[in-house]
Each structure stands twice: as C-alpha cells, then as structure tokens.
Amino acid sequence: MPNPPDKTTRPLGRVLLTGATGMVGSSVLRVLLNEKTVREVVSLGRRLSGIDHPKLTDVRFEAFGETQSIEPYLNGINTVFHCLATYSARVSRAEYEEITVDWMCALLAACERSAPGVTFCLFSAQGARSDGGGMSFALKIKGEAESKLFASDLERKFAFRPGYIAPSGPRSTWKMADHLFKPLQRLMPSIGVTSDELAHAMLYTAIHDRRCTAVLENGEMRTLFA
C-alpha cells in the first residue's frame, strides 16, 4: 500500500464506481470504503455488490450505453472509477467493443454534461495504445477507449495499464493464465500487480497526482509501493 504524503492533494469526495463485482472493481470498492476522503460511493453495476456499508449506495443498472440514464447518478460526483470490463475470450468482438468503448463513451458524455470537473480513472491494460495500435483486437479496442477518454473535455483523466493482475481475494472462476502467472507473480512481482495493489494505485493517483492527464504503466504503478 502506498505511503501518502501528510497533506491530501484532492479528496475523492462523492465517487461513482462501475464494475464493482469484477475482480478489479471489487478491490477498488473495498479500498474506497476504507478511504477517509470518500463521502459516498455510488456503485453502478449489472449485479449488486452485496456489501452493506453506510458509505455505499448500491444500484443495479443495465443502461450503460444510455447517457441520459447515467446522468442522474452523477449529481455531486467528484471522482469516477470506471472498472467495468469483460474478457475478450467470453464475448464477440462487437460485444467487447460495445462494453469497452461505447459504454464508456456514454459515461464520458454524461460526465461532460453533468460533472465536467470530475477526476476520471479508467482501468485499461498493458499493451493498449492511445493511438489505436496494439498486438490484439482487445488491446486495440482498449486503446480506442483511452483515446476517447483523453479527447474528452473532462478536466482530469487517468488510464491505468497493469500487467498481469493477480486476484487478491477468492475468485469464483480462474482463467488458465492464473494457474501460471499467479505463482510466477509471487516470484517476479514486476510482471504485474495484485488487484488490491492496482486499487491502491488508482486511489493514490486520484488523490495525490498533480498531473491533469496521464497514462500509468505497470512499472510506474509499482513505484508507488517501493
């Protein structure tokens, strides 16, 4: 966990979180609920998180591609953590692009209209490129999402590109890569981060990073824990 400086640069305030039931989103939610600068977390998800906490407003939400449906939840929001994602192997390319790009663009448009001063934190992936390049269609689409974020009118925006993400807690279904990379990540931590480390890096950046726009690669995130 990073060691923050004595003075907070920017309190997180009222937070909108998407994807709280995913591996990364659930770690982000846990960290947010323990963060003293968070007043409230509004969690929009296709499933409820199942967590009962005085700071949490848990909303089951299906209309991720509809800007006008998202806007009411942005009232008074200071920070957005967009962790909604899916595995490219589980859906078609068209579905992957819809979830990764189209849904995020609807959220960006809602933020531009209702909360243009938010800090927006995007969960991306190592190998994504904001110029649209990438070694796979999934990384090209992740890169497209990043380019849409950085082209937006939001004041402050960050993309996070972790390497392998080792689940910090129990996982209902393991990917084949987990059986190889999770033991390897213990021996060679530099190949990735745990989901809790990624969550802490995202929060630390949103609070303390003085930049308005940045892409954080896996190595830069790891320096926060050095």
Side-chain angles (χ1 to χ4, degrees), residues 90-171:
R90 294 182 181 175
V91 295
S92 68
R93 178 170 183 156
E95 289 173 307
Y96 188 78
E97 187 164 13
E98 178 186 16
I99 292 168
T100 305
V101 179
D102 297 348
W103 291 5
M104 189 204 67
C105 285
L107 176 56
L108 286 176
C111 288
E112 287 177 326
R113 287 165 57 167
S114 301
V118 298
T119 295
F120 195 106
C121 296
L122 172 65
F123 164 43
S124 188
Q126 188 176 63
R129 287 168 35 189
S130 301
D131 63 4
M135 296 183 65
S136 68
F137 84 82
L139 291 176
K140 290 179 187 295
I141 290 171
K142 287 281 192 182
E144 182 183 351
E146 288 186 13
S147 68
K148 299 290 188 183
L149 170 62
F150 294 126
S152 74
D153 293 331
L154 301 185
E155 292 181 7
R156 199 160 173 258
K157 45 221 174 185
F158 299 99
F160 297 82
R161 296 176 179 169
Y164 170 68
I165 306 171
S168 295
R171 192 171 185 175

Side-chain angles (χ1 to χ4, degrees), residues 16-204:
L16 180 74
L17 169 66
T18 66
T21 58
M23 177 180 64
V24 172
S26 60
S27 284
V28 171
L29 178 57
R30 287 194 301 270
V31 177
L32 283 171
L33 294 177
N34 288 312
E35 167 56 45
K36 63 183 180 180
T37 71
V38 171
R39 295 196 313 273
E40 180 187 4
V41 179
V42 179
S43 172
L44 297 187
R46 289 171 287 183
R47 301 184 304 278
L48 296 177
S49 70
I51 295 175
D52 183 17
H53 193 283
K55 285 186 179 182
L56 177 62
T57 299
D58 210 0
V59 180
R60 187 172 182 177
F61 189 77
E62 296 288 345
F64 283 101
E66 300 173 11
T67 293
Q68 290 184 339
S69 297
I70 298 169
E71 285 183 9
Y73 298 100
L74 286 167
N75 183 37
I77 292 295
N78 306 104
T79 314
V80 174
F81 291 92
H82 186 50
C83 299
L84 180 61
T86 190
Y87 295 114
S88 58
R90 294 182 181 175
V91 295
S92 68
R93 178 170 183 156
E95 289 173 307
Y96 188 78
E97 187 164 13
E98 178 186 16
I99 292 168
T100 305
V101 179
D102 297 348
W103 291 5
M104 189 204 67
C105 285
L107 176 56
L108 286 176
C111 288
E112 287 177 326
R113 287 165 57 167
S114 301
V118 298
T119 295
F120 195 106
C121 296
L122 172 65
F123 164 43
S124 188
Q126 188 176 63
R129 287 168 35 189
S130 301
D131 63 4
M135 296 183 65
S136 68
F137 84 82
L139 291 176
K140 290 179 187 295
I141 290 171
K142 287 281 192 182
E144 182 183 351
E146 288 186 13
S147 68
K148 299 290 188 183
L149 170 62
F150 294 126
S152 74
D153 293 331
L154 301 185
E155 292 181 7
R156 199 160 173 258
K157 45 221 174 185
F158 299 99
F160 297 82
R161 296 176 179 169
Y164 170 68
I165 306 171
S168 295
R171 192 171 185 175
S172 56
T173 56
W174 276 49
K175 296 187 298 178
M176 185 178 297
D178 291 329
H179 297 282
L180 171 64
F181 283 106
K182 186 166 185 179
L184 185 60
Q185 201 263 344
R186 294 194 190 102
L187 297 173
M188 301 174 60
S190 61
I191 69 169
V193 290
T194 68
S195 58
D196 280 357
E197 286 173 339
L198 174 56
H200 283 295
M202 293 175 79
L203 266 69
Y204 182 87

